[in-house]
Amino acid sequence: MKLLNKYITFLLFISFNLITYSQITKDYDLWLQYTKTYIYNDLLKNISLDTNNETEKVIKSELELASLKMYGFKPKFTNTGNADLILKKNSELDSSQKNISEKVNKLNNEGFVIETIKNSGKQRIIISSKTSIGLLYGTFRLLRELQISPNKKEFNIIDEPKLKVRMLNHWDNLDGTIERGYAGNSLWNWQKLPELIDRRYIDYARANASVGINAVTLNNVNANALILTPYYLEKVKALADTFRPFGIKVYLTARFSAPIEIGNLKTADPLNTEVQQWWNEKTNEVYKYIPDFGGYLVKANSEGQPGPQNYGRNHVDGANMLAKVLKPHNGIVMWRAFVYSETDSSDRAKQAYREFVPYDGKFEENVLVQVKNGAIDFQPREPFHPIFGAMPQSKLMMEFQITQEYLGFSSHLVFLPKLYEEVLKSSTKNKEKENTVAQIISSRSNELSGIAGVANIGNDLNWTGHPFAQANWYSFGRLAWNPELNSEQIAKEWLQQTFSNNSDFVASISKMMIKSRESVVKYMTPLGLHHIMGTDHHYGPGPWVNNLARPEWNPVYYHKADKNGIGFDRTSIGSNALSQYSPEISQYFGDLKSCPEEYLLWFHHLPWDYKMKNDRTLWDNLGIKYQEGVNEVRNMIKIWNDSKKYIDTERHQEISQLLEIQLKEAIWWKDACMSYFQSISNLPYPKEMEIPIYSLEYYKSLKFPYAPGIKPHW
Amino acid sequence: MKLLNKYITFLLFISFNLITYSQITKDYDLWLQYTKTYIYNDLLKNISLDTNNETEKVIKSELELASLKMYGFKPKFTNTGNADLILKKNSELDSSQKNISEKVNKLNNEGFVIETIKNSGKQRIIISSKTSIGLLYGTFRLLRELQISPNKKEFNIIDEPKLKVRMLNHWDNLDGTIERGYAGNSLWNWQKLPELIDRRYIDYARANASVGINAVTLNNVNANALILTPYYLEKVKALADTFRPFGIKVYLTARFSAPIEIGNLKTADPLNTEVQQWWNEKTNEVYKYIPDFGGYLVKANSEGQPGPQNYGRNHVDGANMLAKVLKPHNGIVMWRAFVYSETDSSDRAKQAYREFVPYDGKFEENVLVQVKNGAIDFQPREPFHPIFGAMPQSKLMMEFQITQEYLGFSSHLVFLPKLYEEVLKSSTKNKEKENTVAQIISSRSNELSGIAGVANIGNDLNWTGHPFAQANWYSFGRLAWNPELNSEQIAKEWLQQTFSNNSDFVASISKMMIKSRESVVKYMTPLGLHHIMGTDHHYGPGPWVNNLARPEWNPVYYHKADKNGIGFDRTSIGSNALSQYSPEISQYFGDLKSCPEEYLLWFHHLPWDYKMKNDRTLWDNLGIKYQEGVNEVRNMIKIWNDSKKYIDTERHQEISQLLEIQLKEAIWWKDACMSYFQSISNLPYPKEMEIPIYSLEYYKSLKFPYAPGIKPHW
């Protein structure tokens, strides 16, 4: 048998090499690689598991897949207590496992306990939870642990999600395009639904469940009412049925004018009883298709979308009207706070707060107000949104962007958890005891809390356009589960599952990932600059743009560079947006002595020769930062080249090629922005900076009519 | 060792099972599955092959992949004459292999010989050709033989392509959409080119080379001039560089008005010297990027595309102007004959002939006139295009459609070679000795001949939206190589490579494939009906449509159903389109006694009570045919269910689900068309026919604003 085992090892080695000949699967398999380990592990040999429902069948098939890929064998599923791994709801645990049962009792429905017990001399693992979904989460957790620590045999894990709704927002259109999507087209093949259940749907659900994502809004916030017609609801139902065993609920965006567009009414006024009745009947109809439908996400009165203000009503009128029809079904409304008025010429950063804060405490209990992380729009760096500190009586939901609309699309390696973490850990300094953003979104209600990420997922073979963008999907899920997690830890565990457990590889590449977000800030919008990208497609630099219809669409509105200096004065002598923060925060950002240099030009307009901490001028520092960004990408390329030996050639090469794009575009950003700012400051470039390759006119002449992800103009 | 071998077999079995856990690869791997065989074969153990160029490296890696997957070992590459397989250009064969060399000498550059020789008691295989590309084709041929006939050890194959340009036309737009594409978006990721060489590009090239496709037009015939700007040419070059080792040349569509749109000229008049100079310089520039660029494909003065007629010039003026600038580079022009005038109200079927035949013999020698298989537009069935019999002095290129614009998109299983074969084998009965369509397109010139297929390929995991649509890509390539091939033979070899070598499986499923084309004709457009689909998107039935701006866009124009009867009279008392055929053909189709019932309503307008061969009325036969189409789909489902045991669950289930869509839509076609025709004929449905489920008003009310593949409206 020993000889046989040796041959097995040898031949499995061959066979695992063979798998790499299916060149596309590593990219496709995300962080669920279940890479072959040569460490023998019999934890999954005999498994006790009921398979009474679809979720439990999912658990079984995941354990089979993982075991076969990691260890080369299929587990035996038994029902005896004699198994190596026992999965049981706490109601089914026997009296000897009372202490586990007690631990589970203290957890919420999605929480789980994984514990190693010794019983008649044998060591076993028990996963327990109140629900089958909890068992599924526990299974994925165990499989993660086995991949990260192949030698580990003793487990003592208690975990539960801190947020109730952990959601992906897909900005997918019915024509298959994705607004701000950079990884191909929509996963949802509306044409072939409901009959065709694409294998992708299942693998998408597995990936989500593995990190605890339990909610998906299928369609764009710039909504199309047709999604609420029977033709589409039948298709939505097929997706909901597919996702249900994975603990994922389906949500839809509700176009506020749907009663007119598909209901033949003359108005969508939320106080009109016909309108209310229409939404009531429509919602009942939706629940007939999908009994556990999650609810509606609404973008109203923002960027041309219809809303209650069209009828002289307000956000509360609109949100509560929908909340009431959803309430009997336990559905929720997510009402977006990303609004800015077409007629308001004041600082755009101030408008959402002004529109929403007066309504604090007025929303129904099943309404979440969905607030973007910053007050402008998913910039490489923004200070946290002042609303988070200012609506203590409301349920606030975080909206992050996972898709890299403003961060180089899917060709730039940017690890976003650093950005998320920066916002989540920000203290609002409001009067509550728990006042970081993370605490505010997670602690206010046991009943309802949430976080949404705008998905970066499309039908590219690698799902996200860039293998490292998979890390952002993964990390969003992990932070949605627990907003207090550390981004470095997340980077490491993702690398271990996705690429390699080699400690040198993990150490150097996780460091590279952690630095990557600061690099993109430097080569795009250093020192607090923001919103200076190309018009419409948001591809590449466009700081010179000044011809768009509305002032706040123009980059020049945001950087306000003139011969005297640069930056947006949001202090009390400027737009006074700072007044929307608590006094401490306002003071902190408002005082040049305490304001971090990363936020300088976000809050201050300063002369070009303003002296900075390093004793160099603002102008020099601008050039130095842009150059640092470029240099850091060069360094990423070097680090990545050095990692060649640790991973498969295909993905290594793919990422190398993508890094070349990132370098090309980082240089482009530096050169285009600095050429433009130099044409205004008329100052010589700092010596540290490489002189731009082309003229400013060249950069201004570039056009990209077919850049991906452009917003549809309906 | 025997024990070891047994273990190897056993464990490789495990490992091959493991591969199926990478659920997506079977769909992705097309007909290049290289399925594990349990028949021991040492033909690929030791291989003698030079790897002096990129093509030879491709051969090497394909042999490695195939051998590893089929037999579980990597071949040893040696340079001794002692190998099991020897690949050598005929110039490098030694004197003992003179007879092989002589055979190769008689072949064209892409031809090859595969022969088993016995040498000092040992049996070896030699593949020889004049070129490396010929060796690549020989390699793919050998690998096909090994998959189809795993026991075969003796080879005696001489083969060469009958057509010079074997081309895919991609109707891909720069924004990533595909006109009439039903398998996702474009493969070409313009945003990330030239840096990112997507693994797909290589697998696409492998698939093409394996069936002998040697030419691809990357972009839509409804062309965008931007493709000819440096920004895109740099990207096109990257694709050309990737495809070159596989023997594939890149072509582009040339928008006739490009000199205005990207050249800043005021005209695109082909006789204007500035225009000529612009095209000359532009073409020289293209060749600087791509030294072996293939040439231009042009859609001119058709459906709104610009062309020479805009300047009072004709097709010859336009085509020859481009031909002259391409000539020094050995490039060619493919000038499409698919034209119909915006102002000509006569039978659309007659217009292309009238526009082109007068120019017979006037085109430059490097011009191919690209003619669609029929005179209308890729219908489920059309008689062959009369141009094929009428331009003996011109080089005619066939244009087939592989993408199923009018055949149920990618949810209908339709094996197209039956359609291709029907056209290729048609005799034009013109005065030439070789006068079938196949002979006409292949025999006129050793220098230049061609066939194009409008690709059905997109970025779906399975490439073509339907696993059986892969067969149409495969078969197009095989028929392009040899237009005389038999479609049944092609179906069988495709099944063997793609699914299973099991003879019961191959027999029953190939029969199903062969029947499938007639089924789609029956449930969509039986008895010679045509062009009665939904407006614009061409999805589903729309025989009632009569409100489009131009008469020949309306289905009612094509079926001409009224209370007296149905059909388009193209005899001498009708539009006389028949006069465009040779007298025998005209007589054959024109005489009701000889006209095959499949073409009846294409050429004749007949009363509803017209008695057909089965002694039933035309009306009854219409209903019977529609019903037969539906019944045949039901039978396909039964046959497919019975094949479950032969193939992998994933693909079996995927195809089952797609067949459900096909059945649903076949019933929809029957019900909608028969409801409509019944509203005109006022006759009772024949007893064989199932009564329509819904009312005619219901079918007319259906709207599909987001059906895939809609033509862009630029």
Side-chain angles (χ1 to χ4, degrees), chain B residues 104 309 490 546 569 625 689:
Chain B
V104 173
Q309 293 171 357
I490 300 173
N546 63 2
D569 187 347
K625 284 287 169 199
M689 198 194 106

Side-chain angles (χ1 to χ4, degrees), chain A residues 508-509 512 634-643:
Chain A
S508 77
I509 303 301
M512 176 182 96
R634 289 199 180 111
N635 199 39
M636 284 162 76
I637 291 174
K638 198 190 153 313
I639 293 168
W640 187 248
N641 283 343
D642 291 346
S643 77

Side-chain angles (χ1 to χ4, degrees), chain A residues 37 39-41 145-146 148-155:
Chain A
T37 170
I39 294 156
Y40 185 72
N41 198 327
E145 297 289 332
L146 292 175
I148 292 174
S149 314
N151 285 309
K152 196 164 170 178
K153 300 226 168 183
E154 302 224 10
F155 298 91

Side-chain angles (χ1 to χ4, degrees), chain A residues 15 21 65 192 224 410 465 706, chain B residues 15 21 65 192 224 410 465 706:
Chain A
S15 71
Y21 266 89
L65 174 65
K192 286 178 178 158
N224 187 318
S410 64
Y706 301 108
Chain B
S15 70
Y21 266 89
L65 173 65
K192 286 177 178 159
N224 187 318
S410 63
Y706 302 107

Side-chain angles (χ1 to χ4, degrees), chain B residues 80-263:
Chain B
T80 71
N82 206 21
D84 306 298
L85 171 64
I86 297 165
L87 295 106
K88 270 205 170 123
K89 283 184 215 156
N90 69 331
S91 57
E92 293 157 0
L93 290 173
D94 61 41
S95 53
S96 72
Q97 295 145 348
K98 209 177 144 192
N99 74 320
I100 295 179
S101 181
E102 277 166 11
K103 287 178 194 165
V104 173
N105 262 330
K106 290 181 196 143
L107 299 173
N108 62 33
N109 278 338
E110 297 174 305
F112 56 82
V113 168
I114 307 178
E115 204 161 294
T116 305
I117 56 164
K118 273 178 193 157
N119 204 338
S120 31
K122 195 173 149 44
Q123 201 158 293
R124 310 173 202 290
I125 301 174
I126 293 191
I127 302 180
S128 187
S129 168
K130 286 178 184 160
T131 64
S132 301
I133 296 299
L135 294 180
L136 178 64
Y137 288 148
T139 301
F140 276 116
R141 175 61 177 273
L142 177 66
L143 293 173
R144 184 192 305 146
E145 296 289 331
L146 292 174
Q147 290 176 86
I148 292 175
S149 313
N151 285 308
K152 196 164 170 180
K153 300 229 167 181
E154 302 224 11
F155 298 92
N156 193 358
I157 297 169
I158 302 180
D159 203 2
E160 64 178 349
K162 302 287 180 288
L163 290 162
K164 198 173 160 77
V165 178
R166 305 177 296 279
M167 169 177 279
L168 290 178
N169 284 179
H170 289 268
W171 287 358
D172 290 17
N173 302 312
L174 295 182
D175 66 358
T177 60
I178 304 177
E179 183 175 333
R180 311 313 179 184
Y182 312 106
N185 259 30
S186 177
L187 295 184
W188 326 132
N189 190 335
W190 296 118
Q191 175 72 11
K192 286 177 178 159
L193 282 166
E195 287 86 359
L196 185 77
I197 303 304
D198 194 310
R199 175 74 220 178
R200 281 250 188 192
Y201 303 152
I202 292 161
D203 291 324
Y204 164 82
R206 287 174 55 227
N208 278 340
S210 76
V211 290
I213 290 168
N214 68 355
V216 295
T217 299
L218 296 175
N219 58 331
N220 195 348
V221 289
N222 292 320
N224 187 318
L226 287 181
I227 195 74
L228 297 174
T229 59
Y231 177 76
Y232 282 101
L233 287 175
E234 198 189 0
K235 298 166 188 280
V236 172
K237 171 188 160 49
L239 290 175
D241 290 345
T242 307
F243 297 158
R244 190 172 296 109
F246 296 87
I248 298 165
K249 275 191 193 179
V250 160
Y251 299 67
L252 295 173
T253 57
R255 186 161 162 93
F256 207 78
S257 51
I260 300 169
E261 289 154 6
I262 60 169

Side-chain angles (χ1 to χ4, degrees), chain B residues 315-518:
Chain B
H315 291 295
V316 175
D317 296 330
N320 286 356
M321 182 269 290
L322 291 174
K324 278 173 197 151
V325 303
L326 285 159
K327 183 74 188 161
H329 305 285
N330 297 314
I332 65 168
V333 173
M334 291 151 296
W335 194 269
R336 288 175 97 231
F338 175 67
V339 295
Y340 57 98
S341 158
E342 284 158 55
T343 50
D344 190 337
S345 64
S346 68
D347 183 359
R348 173 170 151 190
K350 291 165 67 180
Q351 296 186 30
Y353 178 101
R354 256 194 349 228
E355 272 198 47
F356 273 82
V357 171
Y359 299 127
D360 186 29
K362 305 247 167 77
F363 291 99
E364 291 282 333
E365 61 177 2
N366 58 333
V367 174
L368 283 165
V369 177
Q370 184 168 317
V371 185
K372 288 189 181 181
N373 59 278
I376 297 291
D377 193 10
F378 297 137
Q379 296 303 295
R381 167 168 281 127
E382 291 190 50
F384 71 86
H385 203 303
I387 281 184
F388 287 111
M391 292 183 74
Q393 305 306 315
S394 305
K395 292 164 188 160
L396 301 181
M397 183 175 186
M398 171 63 77
E399 179 174 324
F400 282 130
Q401 196 175 43
I402 313 173
T403 189
Q404 294 172 221
E405 175 178 357
Y406 298 101
L407 292 102
F409 295 5
S410 63
S411 352
H412 292 218
L413 191 166
V414 184
F415 186 56
L416 292 175
K418 280 304 278 183
L419 185 163
Y420 303 155
E421 199 180 27
E422 189 172 280
V423 176
L424 289 166
K425 293 197 170 155
S426 296
S427 172
T428 64
K429 302 280 182 192
N430 73 5
K431 288 168 208 146
E432 290 181 89
K433 214 172 92 192
E434 302 201 305
N435 59 21
T436 68
V437 173
Q439 288 164 339
I440 285 163
I441 62 167
S442 58
S443 69
R444 282 210 189 127
S445 166
N446 287 321
E447 286 311 302
L448 185 55
S449 59
I451 185 168
V454 180
N456 63 347
I457 305 163
N459 68 350
D460 272 5
L461 282 177
N462 66 14
W463 299 86
T464 53
H466 195 310
F468 273 83
Q470 297 176 354
N472 295 328
W473 175 9
Y474 178 87
S475 310
F476 169 78
R478 296 286 287 128
L479 283 167
W481 181 274
N482 181 1
E484 312 276 349
L485 282 180
N486 170 287
S487 61
E488 192 176 333
Q489 175 52 34
I490 300 173
K492 284 183 175 162
E493 65 180 48
W494 177 78
L495 284 167
Q496 289 173 295
Q497 294 169 84
T498 308
F499 285 108
S500 164
N501 232 330
N502 179 284
S503 55
D504 292 340
F505 172 81
V506 172
S508 78
I509 303 302
S510 65
K511 224 164 101 185
M512 176 182 97
M513 290 167 77
I514 294 297
K515 279 191 77 171
S516 63
R517 186 275 183 129
E518 202 59 41

Side-chain angles (χ1 to χ4, degrees), chain A residues 15 18 21 23-25 28 65 68 185 191-192 195 197 199 224 410 461 465 539 657 664 706 708, chain B residues 7 15 18 21 23-25 28 65 68 185 191-192 195 197 199 224 410 461 465 539 657 664 706 708:
Chain A
S15 71
L18 269 178
Y21 266 89
Q23 297 99 335
I24 54 163
T25 57
Y28 180 88
L65 174 65
L68 197 50
N185 259 31
Q191 175 72 11
K192 286 178 178 158
E195 287 86 358
I197 302 303
R199 175 73 220 179
N224 187 318
S410 64
L461 282 177
Y539 177 56
Q657 292 171 344
K664 180 180 78 175
Y706 301 108
Chain B
Y7 286 137
S15 70
L18 269 176
Y21 266 89
Q23 298 99 334
I24 54 163
T25 58
Y28 179 87
L65 173 65
L68 197 49
N185 259 30
Q191 175 72 11
K192 286 177 178 159
E195 287 86 359
I197 303 304
R199 175 74 220 178
N224 187 318
S410 63
L461 282 177
Y539 177 57
Q657 292 171 343
K664 179 179 78 175
Y706 302 107

Side-chain angles (χ1 to χ4, degrees), chain B residues 14-68:
Chain B
I14 291 183
S15 70
F16 284 109
N17 273 357
L18 269 176
I19 286 177
T20 71
Y21 266 89
S22 302
Q23 298 99 334
I24 54 163
T25 58
K26 281 188 186 290
D27 255 348
Y28 179 87
D29 285 346
L30 296 164
W31 50 89
L32 300 171
Q33 302 282 327
Y34 300 129
T35 309
K36 167 73 184 150
T37 169
Y38 297 99
I39 294 157
Y40 186 69
N41 199 327
D42 57 5
L43 297 176
L44 305 183
K45 276 258 149 152
N46 294 289
I47 299 176
S48 167
L49 167 70
D50 287 333
T51 46
N52 298 324
N53 60 41
E54 292 303 310
T55 298
E56 286 163 357
K57 285 175 196 158
V58 162
I59 295 172
K60 185 179 174 199
S61 97
E62 196 69 29
L63 286 167
E64 278 178 345
L65 173 65
S67 177
L68 197 49

